[in-house]
Every structure is written in C-alpha cells, then in structure tokens.
Amino acid sequence: MNLPLSDVKMSKQSKIKLFADPEDALRNQKIRKGILEVGDQLRERHPWLVQHQDQIGLGILTLTVTGIIFNITQYARGKMPWYVAVPLSAFWMSILHELEHDLIHQMYFRKNKNMHNLMMGAVYMFRPSTISPWIRRDIHMHHHKSSGTKSDLEERGINNGDKWGFKRLIMTGDNMLAVYLRPITMMKTTNRYVNAQKNLTKTEKLKLKAKVSSGYTPLGHIHYALWHGFLLMSVAKLAMKAVGIKQPKNKLWKLADKTTKFYAVSIAAPNFLRTLSLHFTSSNMHYYGDVEDGNIVQQCQVWTDWRMKPLQAFCFNFAGTHAIHHFVVRDPFYIRQAIAQDCYPVMKENGVRFNDFGTFKRANRRFESGKS
C-alpha cells in the first residue's frame, strides 16, 4: 500500500535533519519503525482493514450522521432532553473530526474525488464551527512539517503557546473568539505561515492570505451568528428575569428565541463541547515555541492520565493517539486507537513525554517559558 504523501515526506525528513541532540534523529526512526511494525501486525491479522478502508470510513460516517440526526429528531419531538442530546451529539461529532482528519490525509476514496469530497462535505456540515476542511488541508500539512514553530498556524489558531487564564479558556471552545480576541497574533501567524511557503510570488501570497481568511465562509459565520445570538439572548432573558422585566411577545423575538435555541441544542452546543475538549487537549499535548523544526520527538506528548478522561470522551481519545500520527501518518484513527497501547513503550523509551502537566505553567513550551 502506498504511503500518504505527508508520510513519505516525514520519512525523508527524519533522515536528513540535524538536531541539537544528534540522538533525536535516531529516536524518530526507532519510534516510526516500532509503530509501523505494530500496525503491520494488526493488518496481517485483519487484512480487511486495508482491503475495505474506503467502506469502513463511509460506514463510520453513515453511523455518526445517523446518530446526530436521531438525537436532533428526538429532541425536536420532546423525547430527549437537551442535557442528553448535547453530549451524545458531541460524541458523534468527535468521531466526525477524526474522519475529517483522515480525509485531509486522503485516507478514504483517494481515487474517487466525488466520494471523497462528498465525505468532506458531510463532516463539514455537522461541524460548521471549524474552518473548511479543503482550506485546512494545506494548513494541516504545514503543521506536520513545522509543528510547534511560529509558522504553525493550525496550533496557534487554537491558542497553543498562550499563557493560561480566563481569556484562553473562553477562546478554547470558540474558534471565532480565538480570532477576534487575538487579531494581531493571528495576523502575524498568518503572515509567517504564508511566508513559510516556498517559491510563492507576491500575487500568490496575497491569494493564499485571502484563502486562509475565507476559512469560515460561509458556514462558520452563519454558525457563530446563531450560536452567539443564542448566548446573548440567554443572557438577556436572565437579566430581564433578575430585574422583573417580562420578555417581549412580538413574533420576531419568539422566532429568534426558538430558532437559536433549537440550533444551539442540535449543532452549536455539541460542537462547543467537542471543540472545548479537543482544543484543550490538542493545544496542551502539542509543544510550542522552543521545538526544533522537524523534530517529531519534541512535537507532542501523550495524555493517558485519568484526569483527562472526561475531555478525551468528547474528542475520541485524541490526546492518547495523536502523537502516534505525527510519527506515522498512514493509519486511520481507528487503527491508531487499536495499536496505541502497543506503541507507548517504544515512544516512552525514545523520549516522548507522557502526562506532562507542567505544560500549563510553561505556556506549552517544552523546556521553559518564554514569549511567542
């Protein structure tokens, strides 16, 4: 089976990079070899995982979308309370995120563009709080190439490298706030990302900036208008109740109230819970700011601590398996889940950190605090 292009690039990169610690290149190769061997053993025992990879991906998509629609329907019929519908849908949406990530690496229907794009569109429709997956693809490939550096737009976009406090907390679950509350930071990071792309003319750089800037158009802007509208109306209703003012009875208010509430329970709130869980774990399992470019051993840690389990439940154990993906891209998310425990020993032996809670104090620096 042909490796994804990003996997081939990483394999070549690991052979030619010279790191401050010369042993890191060898550690990278040992971990990659160990993960590949574990994955190959699983494929030998279950060859259908490779033979039917496209169908497995499509089946998972069908199951998750069906689960979300069922929750929405039951809530609309009054047979499922919001506090059940929201976490259940968030769980399904966390699987959709993993599917999207696999699709970005072209793991399903690589030779069938129509089916591939159909799947991309489906995972995007139920996760409109994210940027377009077609736009994210290039940003994510750059993340693999230069994870943890100043041009890593993907990680910087989810607050990796910021000091922890209330501001970072509210941005962690809301992608739009992460842009609006850090306009200069995001502008600088976007410029660094664009300038890191080699051999682009000025015109091509301007087009790339415009492309990145349109990442939330149109679904993201519609989504956040409805979600933030719901939050503002909820605050307004609480304020009116506190001071003894009755809510407006006009049709426009009632329509806005009903529409935003239904959208919040169906799509927005589950995505907020999923995003909060994913971005909290992802931004704290990736290191930032003092990572050597291309040094995969330094890029990530692994979360297995029980205190992270509630968040891991809504991001499909992302922080327990994503470091594996940095070393070996080829494996779909469900294979990474299956082989994770067997991969941990070789990762530990070769310098990958586990449960490094000091990252919160260091603003995600691997070694010491500093300014991004």
Side-chain angles (χ1 to χ4, degrees), residues 232-244:
L232 289 173
M233 290 193 71
S234 298
V235 171
K237 286 190 289 186
L238 288 173
M240 285 186 282
K241 184 177 181 180
V243 299

Side-chain angles (χ1 to χ4, degrees), residues 121-134:
V123 298
Y124 185 30
M125 287 293 294
F126 287 94
R127 295 166 47 263
S129 61
T130 66
I131 67 171
S132 163
W134 290 278

Side-chain angles (χ1 to χ4, degrees), residues 96-320:
L96 286 182
H97 170 267
E98 293 295 278
L99 271 180
E100 181 198 78
H101 181 251
D102 285 354
L103 284 161
I104 283 173
H105 286 282
Q106 299 183 332
M107 294 184 187
Y108 311 114
F109 295 101
R110 187 183 306 178
K111 297 181 180 179
N112 187 333
K113 290 186 177 180
N114 290 332
M115 280 300 301
H116 179 84
N117 287 328
L118 180 64
M119 288 186 68
M120 289 270 274
V123 298
Y124 185 30
M125 287 293 294
F126 287 94
R127 295 166 47 263
S129 61
T130 66
I131 67 171
S132 163
W134 290 278
I135 293 177
R136 185 192 168 206
R137 174 171 278 147
D138 290 337
I139 296 173
H140 184 70
M141 293 305 175
H142 180 75
H143 162 69
H144 274 279
K145 180 182 177 182
S146 300
S147 179
T149 66
K150 290 186 176 182
S151 66
D152 186 358
L153 179 59
E154 181 166 270
E155 279 302 310
R156 206 66 184 96
I158 63 173
N159 313 296
N160 193 339
D162 288 345
K163 290 184 178 180
W164 265 103
F166 179 72
K167 180 181 178 181
R168 177 167 175 174
L169 181 61
I170 63 173
M171 291 190 297
T172 299
D174 193 305
N175 292 350
M176 202 60 69
L177 286 181
V179 175
Y180 290 160
L181 297 181
R182 302 179 305 160
I184 296 176
T185 295
M186 293 310 299
M187 181 177 66
K188 287 182 177 179
T189 307
T190 299
N191 288 335
R192 289 166 181 159
Y193 164 72
V194 171
N195 290 329
Q197 312 311 308
K198 304 300 182 183
N199 303 319
L200 294 184
T201 65
K202 289 184 178 180
T203 300
E204 289 171 334
K205 287 182 178 181
L206 288 174
K207 288 182 178 179
L208 182 55
K209 285 183 183 180
K211 181 180 178 180
V212 172
S213 299
S214 66
Y216 288 103
T217 304
L219 292 187
H221 293 297
I222 297 171
H223 168 85
Y224 284 106
L226 291 170
W227 173 233
H228 292 164
F230 166 76
L231 295 177
L232 289 173
M233 290 193 71
S234 298
V235 171
K237 286 190 289 186
L238 288 173
M240 285 186 282
K241 184 177 181 180
V243 299
I245 299 176
K246 292 184 178 180
Q247 293 185 39
K249 295 183 179 181
N250 61 75
K251 292 182 179 179
L252 182 60
W253 173 270
K254 290 182 178 180
L255 177 62
D257 186 28
K258 184 177 181 180
T259 302
T260 56
K261 182 180 179 181
F262 180 77
Y263 184 77
V265 175
S266 301
I267 300 294
N271 266 294
F272 174 80
L273 177 57
R274 177 196 66 80
T275 300
L276 178 66
S277 301
L278 175 66
H279 289 185
F280 185 91
T281 56
S282 180
S283 67
N284 291 297
M285 63 153 290
H286 288 90
Y287 292 106
Y288 176 84
D290 56 359
V291 178
E292 284 187 287
D293 195 7
N295 191 335
I296 308 175
V297 170
Q298 293 184 0
Q299 290 175 358
C300 299
Q301 64 162 309
V302 179
W303 289 114
T304 59
D305 190 274
W306 66 270
R307 285 166 287 189
M308 299 295 290
K309 296 299 183 184
L311 293 175
Q312 296 276 52
F314 297 110
C315 61
F316 212 74
N317 192 34
F318 180 88

